[in-house]
Amino acid sequence: MTNMNTPLLELKNIGKIYVSDSNVSVGIRGVDLTFSKGEFVAVTGKSGSGKSTLLNVISGMDTYEEGEMLVEGEPTSHFLQKDWEEYRKQYISFIFQDYNIIESFTVLQNVELALMHIEDPGKRRERAMELLRRVGLEKHVRHKGSKLSGGQKQRTVIARALAKDSPIILADEPTGNLDSQSSKEIIRLLREVAEDKLVVVVTHNFEQVEDYATRHIRIFDGAVELDHTIRPTTSVRDHAPMPEASPMVSNTARKTANTLRNGLVLGRVRFGATPKLSVFLCILMTVTALVLALVTSFTYDSRSLFSERTMFTHVEGRTVIVRRDGQIITDEELEKLAADMGAENYLHYDSMLDRTVGVSFEDAENGRVQWYEVSFGYPASDVKLDAGRYPEKDNEVVLEVPISFKNHLGQDGFEETVFPLLFEMATYKVVGVSYYYDNSRTPRMLFSENGYRIASAIAFFSNQRYNFGYNIELSVPENETVYHTSMQGDTYIDFDLPSKTYYANDGSITAFLADMGIGKEGAPEREDVLIHTVMSGNFFNYQYYYDHSYGGGYGNGIIVDVVKPGYGEESTVQHSFDGYTMVWDVSEGMKQDLETRYYERWQEGSGISNAGFMVLSPDILLEFMYEHYYTQAYTQASLFFENDREAHGKVERLRELGYTAVVSDETIEPDVFEVLEEKLNAGFNAFLFLMAIVFVTAFLSLCSSRAMNATRGDIAIMRSMGIPTTVVRISIYVQTLIALIPATVITAITCAVVYMLPQTNYLFPFLHAGDYILIASMLILVALNLSRKYVKRMFSDSVKKTLKGGSKA
Ligand code: ADP
Ligand code: MG
């Protein structure tokens, strides 16, 4: 391509003017010069005569307005920014007065920077060392730029200029800041190492270069005043094409890969070279990540914008069935169906799986009562226990709760100390716990098989209990007197009560008893079944103040069999006293036991109406529920298959058998208003989330702008060296993205610790995998945005301006 006769550089009538504000000043004018390889040109002239302008035009850092510059015969007046960049990359090495090495990089890194065209890092290192030996810096390769003397810096720059192996080396007063001894050495070195290149040295001290220069050009007032050959140029070996294979030949993909790799390497080097900036970035990114996590955590509601609702509580493999003919499924039918369908398990009265109930726990530490919504779980063997055992008795439960419950339950000994009260209707004993970290999950209470049945009955009954009325009509066979008592609402399930026992009291009963002559000597005693009128609204007083005046005993006991209350309507079924047995007294031990157990309720007066309340044994309740609800009205049941996929596979077969089956992962369209409210709420949260992101981004660029500006000079140097802009851009992105690594690790650890500690778990809504992906994406977006702004600022000014602005000279 290159003709031997074509000069390397040809300047034809070049003119450059500077227009600043309203001032127009001439940089250079009418410059006609031709340069060849092997020349060592000294340019002198007074300050302001245009020497630097000449070099800047030659280097392509400044454009010219007049004339034409030919590079190996090719005109350049039509060059665009990227052409100049390519030109600089291939042809130019620039040496400045104030060194322009990257102070935060080591000598070696500074030189390697110019060797990016060598792909193999080992070879790159080797070549850098070789060049540093040539400039006599082999002992200082690991020193940081900032630690070097002026002469050492300029040697580094020379090594760097050689590393590029470009045909043209331009030096603008390279020895301006050095003493005369070092100056001479630098010039000699330059001559030595750049024998076959075109070297143009601007100097105001011609004597320094006199011994080496082949040509002397003096500039006066922007024009060439003298152009004088001093000695012949060194013979130049035939100039091979540029060290880099010409861009036409090189494979684009390979080039891209190399650019990317160089960007990565440079980013990494930059990250390590400026530890303060890097640490600052890491801290900034960590804070950002933590804020994002926090914001994500507290706006978790916004995710329900996209969430779907299931018709039933989702339990893996659970399928809810009803008969299509509307008939009630019998126990036998369900058992057989489960076996036929290959279900792992089944649950007949499954409504409690889809409900939550309020449960109060007494805090083991401060004794405060805490309320929680819990759902029922079954079977208990579903969960892995962290402590305790599985329930054996009906009133024993396993709690599956967030780790923060450790505070409430106490670290150990919960079995002895904690008694949650279910609906205030029954007392349960916690025998085992299973902790989890996801505090967005509803806590569960898990029971034994029969315990689940009873608990379901209690839960259902407690919801409905104000629909039950008891109107007990007692008639005395002997005198035909009829007594009434009624009760409503307050029902307690006592697991220790003998079966078929029912207690009630009312003034009328008392009167009735008196009429019956109960409390008198010789009344019949029965212990198999009993009703004891435990209390009325002010039973306690009654008991204590009226005891002695009331026949001198605890004489309020009557015994009947199960009272059959009505269901679903106000006060109903009447009970005839006929046929019921009664005894006079309960044993002293039992009475005291009851008093102790219900003492606090009496004291508080909570839930005790004047109508009195009923204490039932679980068996009585269950019997009632079976008789009046389960076998009369409850049509649903659940089958449990191995997983949802298998469950879906069974739906068709169940249909054929006459059932409607819904796998519990199926979603439904909920109520319009509910959706609206939920979406509004979610939308508001999403808005908050976005606001937070915007705020964080603004805050971040505010914080980092100064720190990043500090490296502005370095970037300009890299560009002046002809490092491709893309590589520099990538390196900026890489630098910020590297800071994400510690930020991510720290945030992950923080989240893990926060969620694992009982003391902090409940403070922050739990983050799920999707949330972490969201946080990561936001973090990356924030980092990219920051880098983008930084890049934009770094490349907004021309290299020359940045370098001049940054120079101390
Ligand atoms: P030298 O390097 O010989 O001291 P320069 O090439 O820097 O001289 O400057 C030549 C002329 O161009 C001077 O008059 C100077 O004021 C002017 N000049 C140089 N750079 C600029 C610039 N960026 N803006 C305006 N005028 C400039
Ligand atoms: Mg100058």
Side-chain angles (χ1 to χ4, degrees):
M1 254 200 325
T2 323
N3 185 321
M4 268 196 67
N5 301 324
T6 319
L8 181 55
L9 274 181
E10 221 176 328
L11 280 67
K12 289 182 175 167
N13 197 26
I14 291 286
K16 164 82 197 168
I17 52 168
Y18 289 106
V19 184
S20 54
D21 298 332
S22 56
N23 247 326
V24 176
S25 54
V26 177
I28 48 175
R29 58 197 161 97
V31 172
D32 280 304
L33 289 168
T34 304
F35 297 103
S36 306
K37 287 195 151 196
E39 285 193 275
F40 192 91
V41 185
V43 179
T44 59
K46 278 195 284 195
S47 176
S49 56
K51 307 181 292 292
S52 297
T53 308
L54 177 65
L55 282 204
N56 289 337
V57 167
I58 293 176
S59 70
M61 292 205 287
D62 252 351
T63 50
Y64 55 90
E65 285 86 35
E66 260 174 51
E68 180 67 83
M69 181 167 85
L70 299 157
V71 179
E72 295 188 291
E74 199 199 328
T76 58
S77 52
H78 63 277
F79 268 23
L80 300 173
Q81 185 62 29
K82 73 175 203 317
D83 301 315
W84 284 120
E85 230 165 63
E86 188 59 31
Y87 162 72
R88 277 209 298 272
K89 188 174 148 201
Q90 286 202 31
Y91 286 86
I92 306 292
S93 289
F94 213 113
I95 300 173
F96 296 89
Q97 173 178 348
D98 43 359
Y99 323 124
N100 278 329
I101 61 167
I102 297 174
E103 305 242 320
S104 56
F105 283 22
T106 62
V107 169
L108 191 61
Q109 283 169 341
N110 265 287
V111 175
E112 281 188 334
L113 198 57
L115 289 169
M116 286 202 162
H117 52 276
I118 302 177
E119 284 180 26
D120 181 342
K123 284 201 181 117
R124 190 183 286 180
R125 173 72 35 106
E126 213 172 278
R127 174 87 178 121
M129 291 303 291
E130 186 187 313
L131 292 167
L132 284 166
R133 261 193 300 278
R134 269 174 82 184
V135 300
L137 276 181
E138 64 271 30
K139 294 220 173 63
H140 303 278
V141 290
R142 301 271 167 208
H143 290 183
K144 277 217 167 188
S146 54
K147 298 269 155 41
L148 301 175
S149 73
Q152 288 169 331
K153 282 183 188 175
Q154 212 58 305
R155 280 165 190 271
T156 308
V157 174
I158 292 169
R160 200 175 65 189
L162 293 173
K164 231 183 121 182
D165 204 13
S166 54
I168 304 171
I169 295 180
L170 304 172
D172 195 348
E173 306 201 30
T175 59
N177 288 338
L178 301 177
D179 58 66
S180 61
Q181 181 59 31
S182 317
S183 296
K184 267 233 147 80
E185 276 173 30
I186 289 296
I187 297 293
R188 203 188 59 229
L189 183 66
L190 206 51
R191 178 66 228 176
E192 248 174 54
V193 295
E195 266 192 326
D196 56 347
K197 298 176 190 293
L198 164 63
V199 181
V200 184
V201 183
V202 167
T203 176
H204 50 257
N205 189 352
F206 183 63
E207 282 141 47
Q208 273 177 8
V209 296
E210 218 174 0
D211 297 346
Y212 310 101
T214 64
R215 181 175 170 189
H216 180 196
I217 294 171
R218 196 160 65 224
I219 311 278
F220 180 77
D221 214 2
V224 176
E225 187 194 42
L226 170 122
D227 185 357
H228 168 61
T229 304
I230 303 171
R231 56 176 64 83
T233 61
T234 45
S235 61
V236 182
R237 59 176 158 85
D238 193 12
H239 154 218
M242 286 311 100
E244 262 175 300
S246 99
M248 308 296 165
V249 191
S250 87
N251 169 334
T252 332
R254 194 194 164 100
K255 220 173 144 185
T256 312
N258 204 30
T259 303
L260 209 65
R261 193 172 44 232
N262 284 337
L264 276 169
V265 170
L266 184 57
R268 221 173 50 210
V269 169
R270 275 161 52 83
F271 189 87
T274 50
K276 272 190 200 151
L277 173 65
S278 302
V279 167
F280 181 70
L281 270 178
C282 288
I283 293 172
L284 222 53
M285 284 301 161
T286 307
V287 171
T288 307
L290 288 173
V291 168
L292 283 176
L294 207 66
V295 170
T296 310
S297 168
F298 282 107
T299 57
Y300 67 98
D301 267 359
S302 62
R303 256 77 79 213
S304 64
L305 262 180
F306 314 105
S307 74
E308 287 178 314
R309 228 177 252 233
T310 53
M311 197 188 304
F312 298 99
T313 301
H314 178 236
V315 176
E316 191 66 30
R318 179 185 174 202
T319 305
V320 180
I321 55 164
V322 291
R323 285 175 62 124
R324 266 212 307 284
D325 60 13
Q327 294 300 299
I328 287 157
I329 301 170
T330 64
D331 278 345
E332 301 73 44
E333 180 187 355
L334 183 64
E335 193 183 337
K336 189 172 173 301
L337 183 68
D340 290 351
M341 296 301 298
E344 291 188 329
N345 211 336
Y346 62 91
L347 185 62
H348 200 165
Y349 306 114
D350 61 350
S351 69
M352 284 317 293
L353 291 184
D354 302 309
R355 264 196 236 167
T356 58
V357 290
V359 172
S360 66
F361 294 86
E362 198 172 293
D363 197 308
E365 263 163 32
N366 56 22
R368 269 208 310 265
V369 173
Q370 312 252 2
W371 274 90
Y372 296 97
E373 285 290 307
V374 304
S375 65
F376 282 13
Y378 170 81
S381 54
D382 260 8
V383 298
K384 254 187 79 204
L385 295 186
D386 288 308
R389 55 171 174 81
Y390 290 109
E392 285 155 11
K393 292 193 193 142
D394 295 344
N395 64 335
E396 290 177 340
V397 292
V398 161
L399 289 180
E400 193 195 18
V401 286
I403 188 78
S404 58
F405 274 56
K406 256 194 178 164
N407 296 335
H408 310 315
L409 299 177
Q411 298 294 322
D412 36 50
F414 59 86
E415 297 169 60
E416 306 308 318
T417 53
V418 178
F419 295 86
L421 306 172
L422 186 64
F423 334 110
E424 297 264 15
M425 268 182 75
T427 304
Y428 275 86
K429 194 170 166 185
V430 179
V431 293
V433 279
S434 170
Y435 294 117
Y436 57 81
Y437 299 119
D438 179 357
N439 58 30
S440 69
R441 272 171 61 186
T442 310
R444 291 204 301 167
M445 256 186 160
L446 299 112
F447 303 82
S448 66
E449 193 178 337
N450 198 47
Y452 175 83
R453 238 176 259 144
I454 293 168
S456 296
I458 294 173
F460 181 80
F461 190 76
S462 82
N463 276 346
Q464 298 291 331
R465 59 183 162 160
Y466 289 99
N467 291 331
F468 290 99
Y470 316 98
N471 189 358
I472 305 173
E473 192 181 280
L474 307 168
S475 58
V476 181
E478 286 149 42
N479 57 13
E480 298 299 318
T481 316
V482 178
Y483 294 90
H484 294 274
T485 185
S486 58
M487 278 177 281
Q488 209 165 22
D490 298 299
T491 316
Y492 297 93
I493 311 302
D494 191 322
F495 283 90
D496 294 330
L497 210 61
S499 173
K500 303 275 179 190
T501 305
Y502 156 55
Y503 296 78
N505 180 40
D506 186 86
S508 58
I509 295 179
T510 314
F512 162 75
L513 292 170
D515 268 12
M516 290 290 288
I518 288 169
K520 294 193 178 105
E521 295 279 326
E525 245 184 80
R526 291 281 300 275
E527 287 181 5
D528 48 352
V529 285
L530 74 146
I531 274 190
H532 179 51
T533 54
V534 179
M535 63 198 83
S536 64
N538 50 8
F539 167 77
F540 215 65
N541 292 335
Y542 189 91
Q543 189 72 12
Y544 277 81
Y545 295 107
Y546 293 87
D547 250 7
H548 297 291
S549 61
Y550 219 83
Y554 304 96
N556 305 329
I558 56 166
I559 297 174
V560 295
D561 203 346
V562 185
V563 169
K564 297 196 167 63
Y567 155 58
E569 47 201 277
E570 288 280 320
S571 126
T572 45
V573 185
Q574 297 196 343
H575 298 276
S576 165
F577 188 69
D578 289 340
Y580 289 93
T581 324
M582 61 179 171
V583 294
W584 157 228
D585 208 356
V586 290
S587 71
E588 189 63 18
M590 183 162 191
K591 191 184 73 62
Q592 268 172 12
D593 183 35
L594 287 170
E595 280 178 11
T596 321
R597 266 187 274 155
Y598 297 101
Y599 175 78
E600 272 178 33
R601 279 188 205 164
W602 294 333
Q603 286 292 73
E604 289 164 5
S606 71
I608 298 174
S609 71
N610 284 325
F613 70 82
M614 182 164 68
V615 182
L616 294 176
S617 83
D619 287 3
I620 292 175
L621 178 79
L622 260 188
E623 191 181 300
F624 165 77
M625 288 297 288
Y626 271 93
E627 217 167 286
H628 293 275
Y629 185 60
Y630 288 154
T631 52
Q632 307 296 318
Y634 198 85
T635 52
Q636 174 185 314
S638 279
L639 294 174
F640 296 89
F641 296 100
E642 197 179 330
N643 53 45
D644 289 337
R645 209 170 46 80
E646 200 191 312
H648 280 285
K650 304 279 185 177
V651 167
E652 196 46 44
R653 176 83 191 114
L654 282 164
R655 240 192 95 77
E656 283 164 22
L657 291 173
Y659 297 92
T660 299
V662 178
V663 181
S664 62
D665 67 352
E666 273 183 20
T667 56
I668 48 158
E669 265 312 312
D671 178 73
V672 178
F673 288 104
E674 226 172 83
V675 171
L676 197 69
E677 191 194 330
E678 193 178 284
K679 300 283 155 169
L680 275 177
N681 186 31
F684 181 67
N685 272 290
F687 175 73
L688 283 186
F689 181 78
L690 289 178
M691 286 310 292
I693 302 288
V694 169
F695 183 77
V696 161
T697 314
F699 179 76
L700 214 67
S701 48
L702 201 76
C703 277
S704 55
S705 72
R706 267 189 72 134
M708 288 216 154
N709 268 344
T711 63
R712 208 185 177 89
D714 295 351
I715 302 234
I717 292 167
M718 289 175 203
R719 286 177 69 197
S720 77
M721 284 169 57
I723 309 256
T725 333
T726 331
V727 171
V728 179
R729 278 170 205 265
I730 292 172
S731 81
I732 290 173
Y733 280 92
V734 168
Q735 196 182 7
T736 343
L737 291 176
I738 290 176
L740 291 186
I741 297 170
T744 313
V745 171
I746 291 172
T747 309
I749 292 173
T750 309
C751 287
V753 169
V754 161
Y755 290 123
M756 274 160 73
L757 290 181
Q759 292 83 359
T760 48
N761 174 285
Y762 68 97
L763 293 174
F764 306 95
F766 193 78
L767 294 167
H768 297 95
D771 300 321
Y772 285 106
I773 292 172
L774 182 73
I775 294 168
S777 324
M778 288 298 144
L779 195 61
I780 290 171
L781 274 183
V782 167
L784 289 181
N785 182 53
L786 188 69
S787 312
R788 192 183 54 84
K789 277 192 182 152
Y790 182 36
V791 164
K792 216 167 131 190
R793 194 163 335 122
M794 288 305 123
F795 289 87
S796 61
D797 291 340
S798 74
V799 177
K800 202 187 66 156
K801 195 169 154 204
T802 312
L803 284 181
K804 288 216 163 145
S807 83
K808 291 149 272 174

